[in-house]
Short mmCIF file of all heavy atoms in Angstrom, two decimals:
data_model
loop_
_atom_site.label_atom_id
_atom_site.label_comp_id
_atom_site.label_asym_id
_atom_site.label_seq_id
_atom_site.Cartn_x
_atom_site.Cartn_y
_atom_site.Cartn_z
N GLN A 189 0.85 -1.18 0.05
CA GLN A 189 0.02 -0.05 -0.01
C GLN A 189 0.82 1.27 0.02
O GLN A 189 0.63 2.25 -0.69
CB GLN A 189 -0.93 0.01 1.21
CG GLN A 189 -2.00 -1.10 1.09
CD GLN A 189 -2.82 -1.17 2.41
OE1 GLN A 189 -2.61 -0.41 3.37
NE2 GLN A 189 -3.75 -2.13 2.48
N LEU A 190 1.93 1.22 0.82
CA LEU A 190 2.79 2.38 0.90
C LEU A 190 3.53 2.66 -0.42
O LEU A 190 3.70 3.79 -0.86
CB LEU A 190 3.80 2.19 2.05
CG LEU A 190 3.30 2.29 3.49
CD1 LEU A 190 4.26 1.94 4.53
CD2 LEU A 190 2.78 3.68 3.74
N GLN A 191 4.00 1.55 -1.06
CA GLN A 191 4.63 1.64 -2.32
C GLN A 191 3.69 2.23 -3.37
O GLN A 191 4.05 3.01 -4.24
CB GLN A 191 5.24 0.34 -2.74
CG GLN A 191 6.46 -0.04 -1.91
CD GLN A 191 6.98 -1.40 -2.30
OE1 GLN A 191 6.39 -2.11 -3.14
NE2 GLN A 191 8.00 -1.87 -1.68
N HIS A 192 2.45 1.78 -3.31
CA HIS A 192 1.40 2.23 -4.23
C HIS A 192 1.12 3.72 -4.10
O HIS A 192 0.78 4.44 -5.00
CB HIS A 192 0.13 1.46 -4.04
CG HIS A 192 -1.04 1.90 -4.96
ND1 HIS A 192 -1.00 1.54 -6.32
CD2 HIS A 192 -2.12 2.54 -4.70
CE1 HIS A 192 -2.09 2.12 -6.82
NE2 HIS A 192 -2.83 2.68 -5.93
N MET A 193 1.38 4.19 -2.77
CA MET A 193 1.25 5.64 -2.39
C MET A 193 2.43 6.44 -2.84
O MET A 193 2.52 7.60 -2.63
CB MET A 193 0.85 5.71 -0.97
CG MET A 193 -0.47 5.20 -0.52
SD MET A 193 -0.72 5.08 1.26
CE MET A 193 -0.60 6.79 1.67
N GLY A 194 3.50 5.70 -3.34
CA GLY A 194 4.71 6.39 -3.76
C GLY A 194 5.70 6.51 -2.65
O GLY A 194 6.69 7.37 -2.67
N ILE A 195 5.57 5.80 -1.48
CA ILE A 195 6.50 5.82 -0.43
C ILE A 195 7.60 4.68 -0.53
O ILE A 195 7.10 3.55 -0.56
CB ILE A 195 5.78 5.69 0.93
CG1 ILE A 195 4.79 6.94 1.09
CG2 ILE A 195 6.71 5.75 2.07
CD1 ILE A 195 3.98 6.85 2.30
N ASN A 196 8.84 5.10 -0.67
CA ASN A 196 9.88 4.12 -0.75
C ASN A 196 10.28 3.70 0.65
O ASN A 196 10.84 4.54 1.43
CB ASN A 196 11.08 4.81 -1.52
CG ASN A 196 12.11 3.64 -1.87
OD1 ASN A 196 12.29 2.74 -1.01
ND2 ASN A 196 12.75 3.89 -2.98
N MET A 197 10.07 2.45 0.96
CA MET A 197 10.37 2.09 2.32
C MET A 197 11.87 2.09 2.63
O MET A 197 12.34 2.36 3.70
CB MET A 197 9.84 0.58 2.59
CG MET A 197 8.34 0.54 2.71
SD MET A 197 7.67 1.68 3.95
CE MET A 197 8.43 0.99 5.49
N ASN A 198 12.69 1.78 1.61
CA ASN A 198 14.18 1.87 1.83
C ASN A 198 14.53 3.26 2.13
O ASN A 198 15.37 3.47 3.08
CB ASN A 198 14.91 1.36 0.55
CG ASN A 198 14.72 -0.06 0.36
OD1 ASN A 198 14.55 -0.90 1.24
ND2 ASN A 198 14.71 -0.55 -0.98
N SER A 199 13.90 4.26 1.53
CA SER A 199 14.25 5.67 1.81
C SER A 199 13.81 5.99 3.26
O SER A 199 14.50 6.70 3.96
CB SER A 199 13.53 6.51 0.82
OG SER A 199 13.75 7.89 1.15
N VAL A 200 12.60 5.48 3.59
CA VAL A 200 12.05 5.74 4.93
C VAL A 200 13.06 5.12 5.99
O VAL A 200 13.36 5.82 7.00
CB VAL A 200 10.65 5.14 5.07
CG1 VAL A 200 10.26 5.24 6.55
CG2 VAL A 200 9.69 5.94 4.25
N ASN A 201 13.44 3.92 5.75
CA ASN A 201 14.39 3.28 6.74
C ASN A 201 15.72 4.13 6.80
O ASN A 201 16.19 4.31 7.93
CB ASN A 201 14.72 1.87 6.27
CG ASN A 201 13.49 0.93 6.48
OD1 ASN A 201 12.62 1.17 7.33
ND2 ASN A 201 13.42 -0.09 5.68
N ALA A 202 16.21 4.61 5.69
CA ALA A 202 17.40 5.39 5.68
C ALA A 202 17.17 6.70 6.48
O ALA A 202 18.04 7.15 7.28
CB ALA A 202 17.81 5.77 4.22
N GLN A 203 16.02 7.32 6.31
CA GLN A 203 15.68 8.57 7.02
C GLN A 203 15.56 8.31 8.53
O GLN A 203 16.08 9.12 9.37
CB GLN A 203 14.39 9.13 6.52
CG GLN A 203 14.46 9.70 5.09
CD GLN A 203 13.12 10.16 4.59
OE1 GLN A 203 12.18 10.33 5.36
NE2 GLN A 203 13.06 10.50 3.31
N LEU A 204 14.93 7.17 8.85
CA LEU A 204 14.87 6.76 10.27
C LEU A 204 16.23 6.58 10.89
O LEU A 204 16.58 7.00 11.99
CB LEU A 204 13.97 5.54 10.40
CG LEU A 204 12.56 5.77 10.20
CD1 LEU A 204 11.77 4.35 10.25
CD2 LEU A 204 11.90 6.67 11.18
N GLN A 205 17.11 6.00 10.12
CA GLN A 205 18.55 5.80 10.59
C GLN A 205 19.20 7.12 10.78
O GLN A 205 19.94 7.30 11.73
CB GLN A 205 19.26 4.87 9.65
CG GLN A 205 20.72 4.54 10.16
CD GLN A 205 21.38 3.56 9.17
OE1 GLN A 205 20.76 3.26 8.15
NE2 GLN A 205 22.52 3.11 9.52
N GLN A 206 18.96 8.04 9.76
CA GLN A 206 19.58 9.34 9.91
C GLN A 206 19.02 10.10 11.10
O GLN A 206 19.74 10.80 11.79
CB GLN A 206 19.27 10.11 8.63
CG GLN A 206 19.89 11.50 8.62
CD GLN A 206 19.62 12.20 7.24
OE1 GLN A 206 18.96 11.66 6.42
NE2 GLN A 206 20.10 13.50 7.14
N VAL A 207 17.75 9.94 11.37
CA VAL A 207 17.18 10.60 12.55
C VAL A 207 17.86 10.12 13.80
O VAL A 207 18.12 10.89 14.69
CB VAL A 207 15.69 10.45 12.56
CG1 VAL A 207 15.11 10.88 13.87
CG2 VAL A 207 14.98 11.24 11.50
N GLY A 208 18.09 8.81 13.82
CA GLY A 208 18.77 8.15 15.03
C GLY A 208 20.10 8.68 15.15
O GLY A 208 20.61 9.03 16.30
N THR A 209 20.86 8.82 13.99
CA THR A 209 22.21 9.39 14.08
C THR A 209 22.21 10.88 14.47
O THR A 209 23.05 11.21 15.27
CB THR A 209 22.86 9.24 12.62
OG1 THR A 209 22.76 7.87 12.20
CG2 THR A 209 24.31 9.77 12.66
N GLU A 210 21.26 11.59 13.96
CA GLU A 210 21.11 13.05 14.38
C GLU A 210 20.89 13.10 15.91
O GLU A 210 21.32 14.01 16.60
CB GLU A 210 20.09 13.69 13.62
CG GLU A 210 20.00 15.16 13.86
CD GLU A 210 21.23 15.92 13.39
OE1 GLU A 210 21.92 15.39 12.53
OE2 GLU A 210 21.43 17.05 13.85
N LYS A 211 19.97 12.19 16.38
CA LYS A 211 19.68 12.22 17.77
C LYS A 211 20.97 11.97 18.62
O LYS A 211 21.22 12.55 19.63
CB LYS A 211 18.64 11.18 18.15
CG LYS A 211 18.20 11.07 19.54
CD LYS A 211 17.25 9.98 19.82
CE LYS A 211 16.99 9.88 21.27
NZ LYS A 211 15.94 8.79 21.60
N ASP A 212 21.70 11.01 18.17
CA ASP A 212 23.05 10.62 18.85
C ASP A 212 23.86 11.85 18.86
O ASP A 212 24.60 12.19 19.86
CB ASP A 212 23.73 9.46 18.19
CG ASP A 212 22.86 8.16 18.42
OD1 ASP A 212 22.08 8.21 19.33
OD2 ASP A 212 23.07 7.23 17.59
N ARG A 213 23.98 12.58 17.67
CA ARG A 213 24.80 13.70 17.56
C ARG A 213 24.32 14.79 18.50
O ARG A 213 25.08 15.45 19.17
CB ARG A 213 24.76 14.24 16.17
CG ARG A 213 25.81 15.36 15.89
CD ARG A 213 25.75 15.84 14.37
NE ARG A 213 26.07 14.85 13.45
CZ ARG A 213 25.17 14.33 12.58
NH1 ARG A 213 23.95 14.71 12.59
NH2 ARG A 213 25.65 13.40 11.75
N LEU A 214 23.03 15.01 18.60
CA LEU A 214 22.50 16.05 19.47
C LEU A 214 22.81 15.70 20.92
O LEU A 214 23.16 16.56 21.72
CB LEU A 214 21.04 16.17 19.32
CG LEU A 214 20.60 16.93 17.94
CD1 LEU A 214 19.03 16.84 17.77
CD2 LEU A 214 21.01 18.31 17.87
N THR A 215 22.70 14.42 21.26
CA THR A 215 22.99 13.96 22.65
C THR A 215 24.50 14.26 22.95
O THR A 215 24.85 14.68 24.02
CB THR A 215 22.75 12.46 22.76
OG1 THR A 215 21.31 12.23 22.46
CG2 THR A 215 22.98 12.03 24.13
N ALA A 216 25.34 13.94 21.90
CA ALA A 216 26.80 14.26 22.20
C ALA A 216 27.00 15.70 22.30
O ALA A 216 27.82 16.18 23.04
CB ALA A 216 27.60 13.63 20.96
N ASN A 217 26.29 16.56 21.48
CA ASN A 217 26.44 17.98 21.62
C ASN A 217 26.04 18.50 22.96
O ASN A 217 26.66 19.35 23.53
CB ASN A 217 25.70 18.71 20.52
CG ASN A 217 26.30 18.49 19.14
OD1 ASN A 217 27.55 18.18 19.07
ND2 ASN A 217 25.51 18.67 18.15
N ILE A 218 24.93 17.92 23.47
CA ILE A 218 24.44 18.36 24.78
C ILE A 218 25.49 17.99 25.82
O ILE A 218 25.80 18.75 26.72
CB ILE A 218 23.11 17.71 25.09
CG1 ILE A 218 22.05 18.22 24.18
CG2 ILE A 218 22.80 17.87 26.57
CD1 ILE A 218 20.72 17.48 24.28
N ASP A 219 26.08 16.83 25.73
CA ASP A 219 27.13 16.41 26.67
C ASP A 219 28.31 17.34 26.58
O ASP A 219 28.86 17.76 27.66
CB ASP A 219 27.64 14.97 26.37
CG ASP A 219 26.48 13.95 26.65
OD1 ASP A 219 25.61 14.27 27.50
OD2 ASP A 219 26.54 12.77 26.12
N GLN A 220 28.67 17.76 25.37
CA GLN A 220 29.82 18.72 25.25
C GLN A 220 29.43 19.99 25.84
O GLN A 220 30.30 20.70 26.54
CB GLN A 220 30.16 18.88 23.76
CG GLN A 220 30.78 17.66 23.15
CD GLN A 220 31.02 17.78 21.59
OE1 GLN A 220 30.58 18.81 21.09
NE2 GLN A 220 31.59 16.82 20.99
N LEU A 221 28.21 20.51 25.66
CA LEU A 221 27.80 21.75 26.19
C LEU A 221 27.81 21.75 27.76
O LEU A 221 28.23 22.68 28.42
CB LEU A 221 26.41 22.14 25.70
CG LEU A 221 26.34 22.60 24.30
CD1 LEU A 221 24.85 22.80 23.85
CD2 LEU A 221 27.13 23.83 24.08
N LYS A 222 27.37 20.60 28.32
CA LYS A 222 27.45 20.41 29.79
C LYS A 222 28.86 20.41 30.30
O LYS A 222 29.10 21.10 31.28
CB LYS A 222 26.76 19.13 30.21
CG LYS A 222 25.20 19.09 29.92
CD LYS A 222 24.67 17.77 30.44
CE LYS A 222 23.15 17.80 30.32
NZ LYS A 222 22.53 16.40 30.73
N ARG A 223 29.71 19.80 29.59
CA ARG A 223 31.18 19.83 29.99
C ARG A 223 31.73 21.28 29.83
O ARG A 223 32.41 21.67 30.72
CB ARG A 223 31.99 18.87 29.19
CG ARG A 223 31.74 17.38 29.51
CD ARG A 223 32.78 16.45 28.89
NE ARG A 223 32.86 16.57 27.45
CZ ARG A 223 32.15 15.77 26.66
NH1 ARG A 223 31.33 14.83 27.11
NH2 ARG A 223 32.24 15.94 25.32
N ALA A 224 31.32 21.88 28.76
CA ALA A 224 31.85 23.27 28.62
C ALA A 224 31.27 24.18 29.68
O ALA A 224 31.96 25.09 30.19
CB ALA A 224 31.39 23.84 27.17
N LEU A 225 30.03 24.07 30.05
CA LEU A 225 29.41 24.76 31.08
C LEU A 225 30.15 24.59 32.44
O LEU A 225 30.41 25.51 33.20
CB LEU A 225 27.92 24.49 31.26
CG LEU A 225 27.16 25.17 32.34
CD1 LEU A 225 27.20 26.69 32.08
CD2 LEU A 225 25.69 24.72 32.38
N ASP A 226 30.48 23.28 32.70
CA ASP A 226 31.18 23.02 33.98
C ASP A 226 32.50 23.67 34.02
O ASP A 226 32.95 24.25 34.97
CB ASP A 226 31.31 21.47 34.18
CG ASP A 226 29.99 20.78 34.47
OD1 ASP A 226 29.11 21.42 34.91
OD2 ASP A 226 29.92 19.57 34.20
N GLU A 227 33.25 23.64 32.80
CA GLU A 227 34.51 24.30 32.67
C GLU A 227 34.38 25.79 32.83
O GLU A 227 35.23 26.42 33.52
CB GLU A 227 35.20 23.93 31.34
CG GLU A 227 35.58 22.48 31.19
CD GLU A 227 36.11 22.17 29.85
OE1 GLU A 227 36.12 23.06 28.99
OE2 GLU A 227 36.45 20.97 29.62
N TYR A 228 33.33 26.42 32.25
CA TYR A 228 33.11 27.82 32.41
C TYR A 228 32.86 28.18 33.86
O TYR A 228 33.31 29.21 34.31
CB TYR A 228 31.91 28.19 31.53
CG TYR A 228 31.53 29.68 31.66
CD1 TYR A 228 32.25 30.69 31.03
CD2 TYR A 228 30.47 30.06 32.53
CE1 TYR A 228 31.90 32.00 31.12
CE2 TYR A 228 30.17 31.39 32.67
CZ TYR A 228 30.80 32.36 31.97
OH TYR A 228 30.54 33.71 32.14
N LYS A 229 32.03 27.40 34.57
CA LYS A 229 31.82 27.65 35.97
C LYS A 229 33.09 27.70 36.77
O LYS A 229 33.30 28.51 37.62
CB LYS A 229 30.82 26.70 36.49
CG LYS A 229 29.35 26.85 36.02
CD LYS A 229 28.44 25.78 36.58
CE LYS A 229 26.99 26.03 36.09
NZ LYS A 229 26.10 25.01 36.68
N GLN A 230 33.95 26.66 36.50
CA GLN A 230 35.23 26.56 37.23
C GLN A 230 36.05 27.77 36.80
O GLN A 230 36.76 28.31 37.65
CB GLN A 230 35.92 25.24 36.80
CG GLN A 230 35.29 24.11 37.26
CD GLN A 230 35.94 22.80 36.79
OE1 GLN A 230 36.92 22.86 36.18
NE2 GLN A 230 35.32 21.67 37.14
N ARG A 231 36.09 28.12 35.53
CA ARG A 231 36.81 29.34 35.18
C ARG A 231 36.33 30.56 35.84
O ARG A 231 37.16 31.42 36.22
CB ARG A 231 36.77 29.48 33.61
CG ARG A 231 37.69 30.59 33.04
CD ARG A 231 39.17 30.45 33.40
NE ARG A 231 39.97 31.39 32.71
CZ ARG A 231 41.18 31.60 32.98
NH1 ARG A 231 41.75 30.97 33.94
NH2 ARG A 231 41.87 32.53 32.31
N ALA A 232 35.04 30.74 35.88
CA ALA A 232 34.43 31.88 36.52
C ALA A 232 34.80 32.00 37.99
O ALA A 232 35.08 32.99 38.58
CB ALA A 232 32.94 31.88 36.35
#
């Protein structure tokens, strides 16, 4: 049904994987920001 609607499941799966990767990247960025904040507080 999805293919009949023009939805490529392989593309959807790739997008989902990309979303997961982006989530991991954001999580890593948040961790970096937290470490930077701690370093800033120590510097202050």
Side-chain angles (χ1 to χ4, degrees):
Q189 292 174 0
L190 290 171
Q191 289 176 0
H192 182 71
M193 295 168 62
I195 298 175
N196 189 328
M197 289 305 299
N198 291 331
S199 175
V200 171
N201 290 333
Q203 291 176 10
L204 289 174
Q205 184 176 4
Q206 182 178 358
V207 169
T209 303
E210 184 66 21
K211 179 182 178 182
D212 293 340
R213 186 181 299 114
L214 290 173
T215 302
N217 289 339
I218 291 173
D219 292 339
Q220 291 176 357
L221 288 174
K222 287 181 178 179
R223 288 195 297 271
L225 179 59
D226 290 339
E227 292 175 1
Y228 176 81
K229 288 180 179 179
Q230 293 175 3
R231 184 61 171 165

